Amino acid sequence: MSVIRASDVAVRVGDTELFAAEDLTLRAGELTAIVGPNGAGKTSFLRALLGLIDHTGSVTYGAQTRDALSLRDRARFAAYLPQGQSHAWPLPVRDVVALGRFPHGDNAKQASEIVEQALARLGLSELADRSVLSLSGGEQMRVALARTLVVGASFLLVDEPLASLDPHYQFALLDQLRAEADAGVGVVMVLHDLRLAARAADRLLVIADGQITADGSPADVMTQGLIAKVFGVATRLEEVATPNGMASVALPEGSGGAAP
Amino acid sequence: MGLNLLLAVIVAALALASLMVGATVTSPPALLAAFSGADERLALIVTEIRLPRTLLAVLIGGCLGLAGAVLQGLVRNPLASPSLFGAPSAAALGAVIVISSGVAGALSFALPVAGMAGALASVGALFLIAGRGAPIIVLLLAGVVLSSFAAAGTSLALNLAPNPFAALEVAFWLLGSLEDRSFQHVAMTAPFIVGGGLLMASQAKALRVLSLGEEAAQSLGVAVRRVRLLCVIGVAASVGASVSVAGTIGFIGLVAPHLVRPLVGYDPSRTLLPATLAGAALLLAADLLVRLVPTSGSPIKVGVVTALIGAPFFLALVLRERRALAGRLPS
C-alpha cells in the first residue's frame, strides 16, 4: 500500500519552529483531515511533505526517499492543491485543467480524454471553453480540483479547499474527495469546519502550536476537552454520521474559553 | 499558426521596405538589379548599410518582444518588461563604463559582454530584492530604483569621461539607434541574442504551468528556481547584447506581448513566438519611421520614437490594471 512517511520533520524560519513531527505515516485509501487554529502550522506541514519548503528530517514516498525522486516523479506521486488558487491569465478552463498532465509529459491528445472525464466529474463540461477568470470562486475551486485530479497521483494534498464555497459545493467537493479516498487515493485535507471534518474523515490530525496534538478517528479525537482547549471555544456533543458510522463528537458552540 | 505566418509576412515586408529606404528610396526593381550585380554602388549601400541595420532591427526587436513575453509569464503580470526591470539602463551602464574608460573599442566583444553583465546584475538583483512571490508593485518599485541607480552611474561615467566628444557620442548612442551599424555589430551580438532567445524559448512549457502560481507549478514538477534563473540569463544575454550595439530601446518588450496575447488565448507559452515576431515588426516599423520623417538636424533616434509611443501605451495599461495594482496581486 502506498504511504507518505515523515520522520523527524521540522520546519523552521529563523529561530521559529513552524512545525515539527517525529513520525507520521499517511496511507492511501484514507481521508485524513487536518484541523487546528490559524497559524498552527497546517500549511507548513503540507508544504514540508511536498518538499516545497526547506525542512529537516526525511520524507519518503512509498519505498523511496522523496528527495531521491525527480520533480516529475514526485508530482505524479503526490498532487497538491494550494490554498487560495489564483490564475494569472484568462485561460480557458479546459487548458487550465490540462496543466495537471504536465508531470506526465503527454501530449494534448493523450491528455484530452482524462481531462474531459475530470471536467465531467466536477460538472465543468459546460464551462470548459470559458475563461477561468470569469468563473465564480466556487467554480474556480472545482477547476483547481479537476486540475489536481487529472494528475492521477497516489496522494492528494489539499489546503482549505472548502473555504470559499457555499454549503452545496462544500458537500459536493467533500463527497468528491471522499470518493477519491474510497477509490484508493490518499487524501490529506486541511479544513476549518469540524463538522465537515467529522463527516468525511477516516482520520483526524489536530495541529496546534506546530505540533500534532491529537491523531485518530474523529470519534476518538473530537472530545469536549480537546476541542475546547485547542480552539478556545465552548463545545457541545452532537451525533454525527462519520465514515465509520454514527459517533458522538464535540463541536464548537460559542467563543467561550481563552483564544488559542 | 495563422497568426505567426501573418506576423512573419509582416516582418518580411517591413524588412524589405527597410532595405529600400535610406538617404534615397530604392524601388523594388532597382533593389533586384542591385542584388543581381547590375548596380554595384547600390548593392554596396544595400548590403553594407541597410542590410545590417535591418538585421539588427529584426534581432533586437524580436529579442525585446520575447524578453517581455517571458518576463510577463515569469512574474505572472502583464506590466513586466525588460525596461521596467532596469535591464536596458544597467546594460547601458556596463557598456558605457567599457567605452568611456577606454578599455575597449566600440566594436569589441567586451561591449556586449559588459552589457550582458549589467543586465544580468539588474534583473538578478531585482529577483533577489523582490524575493519569491513578491507583489508586482514591489518588483516595479525595485525596477525604478535599479534604473535610477544605473542611470546615475551612466551619468557619472559620462561626467568623468576624459574626452568630451566621446561623452557626447555616448550620450547620443544612449538614445537608442540602429543608424550606421555594420556587419561587425551584427556578428558581435547575434550569438548572444539568438542564444539568449533560445534559452528563453526553451522555458515555454514551464511558463504555461507557472500561470497557476509558483507553488502549484512546483508541485507539478516545474523546477521553479531553475526556470527563473534560465529566463533571467536569457533576458540578460539578449537584452544586454542588444543595448550594447543599439543603445536603450524601450517599451517594445512591453507592447509586443500585449498586442498578440489576446490573439493566442493568453497562453504564456503560445505568446512567445508571436511576441518575438511582433517585436521585430515594431522595431522595423519604428526604424523606418525615423528614416522617413524629414528633420533639419540629425535624424530622430529610434529609441526616442519607441519611448514616445510606448510610454502612453504603458499609462493606458496601468489605468486598465489599476484595480489589480491596488490590491495584492496573485503571487
Side-chain angles (χ1 to χ4, degrees):
Chain A
M1 192 195 275
S2 259
V3 294
I4 293 180
R5 187 162 173 201
S7 310
D8 288 322
V9 165
V11 178
R12 289 186 193 84
V13 174
D15 292 336
T16 317
E17 187 172 86
L18 298 181
F19 178 82
E22 280 178 9
D23 189 48
L24 186 80
T25 302
L26 297 163
R27 286 174 287 271
E30 260 185 11
L31 195 154
T32 304
I34 300 176
V35 299
N38 293 327
K42 305 183 292 294
T43 298
S44 297
F45 174 51
L46 289 190
R47 287 179 177 155
L49 290 178
L50 290 154
L52 295 177
I53 44 172
D54 293 333
H55 63 84
T56 54
S58 72
V59 174
T60 52
Y61 283 0
Q64 282 184 288
T65 308
R66 182 200 63 212
D67 294 347
L69 297 170
S70 73
L71 284 180
R72 287 195 180 200
D73 283 340
R74 295 187 207 178
R76 285 195 291 261
F77 189 85
Y80 181 43
L81 180 50
Q83 199 180 343
Q85 269 283 288
S86 65
H87 298 279
W89 310 106
L91 294 175
V93 167
R94 180 178 281 112
D95 291 6
V96 171
V97 174
L99 290 176
R101 293 302 293 173
F102 179 78
H104 298 271
D106 50 14
N107 61 40
K109 214 171 171 184
Q110 291 169 309
S112 84
E113 196 179 324
I114 298 165
V115 170
E116 295 305 324
Q117 275 174 9
L119 288 169
R121 262 173 72 193
L122 290 169
L124 293 166
S125 295
E126 292 193 354
L127 302 177
D129 296 315
R130 290 257 305 268
S131 148
V132 67
L133 292 182
S134 71
L135 305 183
S136 71
E139 288 165 339
Q140 288 198 17
M141 182 44 74
R142 278 148 66 203
V143 172
L145 184 65
R147 192 271 295 160
T148 316
L149 290 179
V150 299
V151 177
S154 308
F155 277 84
L156 282 180
L157 279 63
V158 287
D159 197 353
E160 290 199 31
L162 310 180
S164 59
L165 302 184
D166 61 34
H168 173 81
Y169 281 118
Q170 284 189 337
F171 286 122
L173 207 74
L174 208 58
D175 291 347
Q176 193 74 50
L177 289 170
R178 185 64 247 175
E180 286 297 317
D182 292 339
V185 174
V187 178
V188 183
M189 170 171 49
V190 171
L191 76 172
H192 273 303
D193 189 318
L194 294 172
R195 184 189 302 272
L196 293 177
R199 175 190 152 99
D202 301 298
R203 180 181 180 188
L204 197 65
L205 293 180
V206 180
I207 296 184
D209 285 332
Q211 305 285 334
I212 296 173
T213 55
D215 177 0
S217 72
D220 291 342
V221 169
M222 292 172 73
T223 59
Q224 285 196 293
L226 184 104
I227 298 298
K229 181 165 164 273
V230 168
F231 291 96
V233 289
T235 61
R236 80 187 132 84
L237 287 172
E238 210 175 293
E239 286 286 311
V240 171
T242 72
N244 305 314
M246 295 302 286
S248 178
V249 299
L251 291 171
E253 190 181 40
S255 66
Chain B
M1 277 309 102
L3 174 69
N4 288 327
L5 192 64
L6 177 68
L7 286 168
V9 169
I10 293 174
V11 169
L14 287 166
L16 189 65
S18 172
L19 291 177
M20 286 161 36
V21 177
T24 58
V25 174
T26 312
S27 68
L31 199 64
L32 207 63
F35 275 116
S36 63
D39 184 344
E40 280 184 21
R41 202 186 60 90
L42 183 61
L44 202 66
I45 291 175
V46 171
T47 55
E48 293 298 316
I49 298 175
R50 296 183 193 169
L51 188 55
R53 182 174 190 161
T54 304
L55 285 175
L56 282 175
V58 171
L59 282 170
I60 293 173
C63 88
L64 290 174
L66 176 60
V70 164
L71 286 176
Q72 289 170 10
L74 194 62
V75 304
R76 311 172 66 228
N77 195 286
L79 295 176
S81 78
S83 317
L84 293 173
F85 282 21
S89 337
L93 174 61
V96 166
I97 289 175
V98 166
I99 297 173
S100 65
S101 66
V103 170
L107 285 176
S108 127
F109 267 103
L111 209 55
V113 170
M116 288 188 292
L120 189 62
S122 91
V123 184
L126 193 82
F127 275 97
L128 284 181
I129 293 168
R132 179 179 167 150
I136 187 73
I137 193 78
V138 175
L139 284 173
L140 293 178
L141 288 175
V144 169
V145 172
L146 287 168
S147 292
S148 318
F149 189 68
T154 303
S155 304
L156 182 67
L158 290 177
N159 211 184
L160 299 177
N163 176 349
F165 296 106
L168 192 65
E169 201 169 309
V170 169
F172 262 111
W173 165 81
L174 278 176
L175 296 176
S177 171
L178 296 168
E179 239 178 290
D180 300 331
R181 300 301 191 270
S182 68
F183 268 107
Q184 178 78 22
H185 289 105
V186 178
M188 71 193 213
T189 51
F192 303 112
I193 292 179
V194 172
L198 290 175
L199 201 57
M200 289 188 273
S202 71
Q203 302 305 306
K205 275 190 177 171
L207 290 176
R208 176 192 291 171
V209 184
L210 262 174
S211 69
L212 294 172
E214 295 194 357
E215 277 212 311
Q218 192 157 349
S219 77
L220 284 170
V222 174
V224 173
R225 277 181 210 174
R226 188 163 163 271
V227 170
R228 202 188 289 141
L229 182 69
L230 292 179
C231 287
V232 164
I233 292 173
V235 168
S238 58
V239 173
S242 300
V243 169
S244 69
V245 293
T248 50
I249 295 172
F251 292 103
I252 286 187
L254 181 76
V255 176
H258 271 281
L259 295 180
V260 300
R261 185 172 287 119
L263 306 175
V264 297
Y266 295 89
D267 179 338
S269 62
R270 280 191 290 175
T271 308
L272 302 189
L273 180 58
T276 308
L277 293 168
L282 284 174
L283 188 53
L284 278 168
D287 192 44
L288 271 171
L289 190 68
V290 299
R291 276 179 271 173
L292 292 171
V293 172
T295 53
S296 51
S298 81
I300 302 173
K301 304 286 181 191
V302 71
V304 177
V305 172
T306 60
L308 280 176
I309 297 171
F313 183 91
F314 183 55
L315 182 63
L317 205 59
V318 169
L319 293 177
R320 205 180 71 188
E321 299 281 323
R322 69 181 151 188
R323 211 158 44 111
L325 280 170
R328 194 186 173 318
L329 275 190
S331 57

